[in-house]
Amino acid sequence: MLDVITRNLPFLLAGLWTTIHLSIWTIVGGTLLGAVLGILRYVRFPVLGTASMLFIEFIRGTPLLVVLLITYFALPALLGYKTTAYNAALLGFILFTGAYIAEDFRAGLRSVRPGLIQAGLATGLTRWQVLRFVIAPQATRIVIPSLFNQYVRLLKFTSVASIIGVTELTGAALLINARDFHPVTLLGAVAVTYLVVCYALSMVGRVLYARFAVRT
Amino acid sequence: MSEAPIVEIRDLHKSYGATPVLRGCTMNVNRGEVVVVCGPSGSGKSTLIKCVNGLERYQSGSIKVEGIEVGAKDTDLPKLRSRIGMVFQHFELYPHMSVLKNLELAQVHVLKRSRAEAAERGRQLLKRVGLEAKADAMPVDLSGGQQQRVAIARALALDPQAILFDEPTSALDPEMIHEVLQVMTELATEGMTMMVVTHEMGFARRVANRVVFMDAGEIVENAGSEEFFSRPRTPRATEFLSKILSH
């Protein structure tokens, strides 16, 4: 029964590794994108703030699979560039995750007490300095649990990339299953693997939050 | 050395939507003077003091700080604010920074002092408010009275020309009010120019040169402190004093 796993272990591990680096690059890119969009929304930056809002609403109203199909088929056709399934998936995940993270950042920024902002301004700091030294550092700490919540969601969402042909963990299992047909064993192993990786990721989030939380 | 008032408020009007909050306030704060602003809740005291450093906008009238119009478009508000300290009701210490870092931030980024200079000045001021041992503590680990003394030190760190106090003891437990008032009294004795919104009538009587009494967005009385307490001129001030002094 389990020999379908052991026989195909290198292939499955390669899939897992793809899942992991796809997730890590998305976490890096999505967090940066989310921070920029969240700040633009928060300060209501002219034009760009509204553009961020429209982008966020568009992404939130679009299924993830459709986003990936757009970055794999539509955008390259529209803008005339070549892409790979992996790069298209990465771009799609960054856009998708970035939009959700932007809203988390905005909520975090808004949760900083107005009195603290006034206190910063009253000492002669400019608005940008107050954002940089007073608001953003607190918001970043506040937002850690929501960020890791998004990261865990994202890690599971990467399985959707198998549909555009990325051989990540789920994709690898589906390929093996098409040949050997052991759905219970293969998908059971895949599910347990996601569970373990997601649990580890959320533990990292908890440790970071415990370490950096602002006590008030 | 100028004899012009540090703060000059002329016929100030402000409203939130249709609700008027300030209805033609006129007053000065002269160099070296301690002016207490008092009055019932909702009379506009806090709004008035926040207009002085531009934290609140006003619709008409004028506020000049060291001769510079606060509401003018081309006024460099950060620069103006760095010369006027402010202490808040709820302390508003940055919770993610140690006490000393709270004192350093504006020194480094507004006055462009070096970290070392800022730290040294910060420690001096902590010593002055009796909290040199708390330099590395986080604000949350201090009592309310200690936090407010740190907030006063933070205001002093910029070597301000005057300090605005917005109900500095209203959020404190009674046993901590004294330690904050004592620091404020020392400042006044050293000649610091202060505009203080407070209900502490004992402080007003002992320390203030002048008392401004507000009610419903108007300045009803503006008198020497001795005169205000012994011979209030208006029924509204008399009533306020009898309420606040009798409890």
Side-chain angles (χ1 to χ4, degrees), chain A residues 113 118 121 124 133 138 215, chain B residues 50 81 92 96 109 141:
Chain A
R113 274 209 320 279
Q118 292 196 338
L121 292 174
F133 300 119
Q138 290 181 69
R215 291 174 303 136
Chain B
K50 283 183 175 173
R81 285 167 175 155
E92 309 300 357
H96 59 298
H109 295 288
D141 295 322

Side-chain angles (χ1 to χ4, degrees), chain A residues 186-204:
Chain A
L186 280 165
L187 292 173
V190 163
V192 170
T193 308
Y194 278 114
L195 187 74
V196 170
V197 178
C198 287
Y199 185 75
L201 187 57
S202 61
M203 286 314 288
V204 173

Side-chain angles (χ1 to χ4, degrees), chain B residues 51-241:
Chain B
C51 284
V52 172
N53 63 355
L55 289 179
E56 293 273 2
R57 295 176 179 283
Y58 46 92
Q59 273 97 32
S60 72
S62 146
I63 300 184
K64 285 185 179 156
V65 170
E66 298 183 300
I68 296 163
E69 178 68 43
V70 175
K73 272 211 159 57
D74 56 349
T75 296
D76 183 351
L77 265 186
K79 188 175 174 200
L80 181 146
R81 285 167 175 155
S82 72
R83 297 176 59 80
I84 304 290
M86 187 162 207
V87 174
F88 296 82
Q89 181 176 357
H90 296 288
F91 333 131
E92 309 300 357
L93 298 179
Y94 312 129
H96 59 298
M97 294 180 190
S98 71
V99 162
L100 188 61
K101 295 269 181 236
N102 264 273
L103 268 61
E104 288 174 13
L105 186 69
Q107 292 189 69
V108 170
H109 295 288
V110 179
L111 300 188
K112 310 294 178 197
R113 289 179 184 156
S114 71
R115 278 270 165 212
E117 252 180 304
E120 193 190 325
R121 181 81 179 117
R123 286 185 194 280
Q124 267 172 18
L125 288 165
L126 286 177
K127 191 166 180 187
R128 174 167 178 185
V129 299
L131 291 170
E132 67 266 50
K134 299 290 186 184
D136 299 316
M138 297 304 275
V140 70
D141 295 322
L142 305 184
S143 71
Q146 289 173 332
Q147 289 191 47
Q148 196 62 299
R149 281 146 67 198
V150 172
I152 293 172
R154 180 173 67 181
L156 288 170
L158 301 179
D159 301 319
Q161 298 298 301
I163 303 187
L164 311 170
F165 292 84
D166 184 12
E167 304 211 26
T169 58
S170 299
L172 294 175
D173 293 333
E175 72 270 24
M176 294 171 186
I177 291 175
H178 174 74
E179 64 189 60
V180 171
L181 291 181
Q182 196 183 340
V183 170
M184 291 171 61
T185 306
E186 285 165 20
L187 281 182
T189 313
E190 291 160 20
M192 177 60 76
T193 308
M194 295 160 65
M195 179 171 173
V196 187
V197 171
T198 185
H199 295 288
E200 291 298 327
M201 290 301 117
F203 173 82
R205 191 165 214 161
R206 276 183 293 107
V207 181
N209 304 102
R210 247 171 345 107
V211 175
V212 167
F213 172 69
M214 291 183 72
D215 190 22
E218 292 172 323
I219 291 179
V220 180
E221 295 212 17
N222 180 349
S225 127
E226 187 51 42
E227 189 190 339
F228 176 76
F229 285 104
S230 49
R231 298 181 299 281
R233 284 194 305 267
T234 60
R236 281 195 277 184
T238 311
E239 192 197 333
F240 174 77
L241 281 175

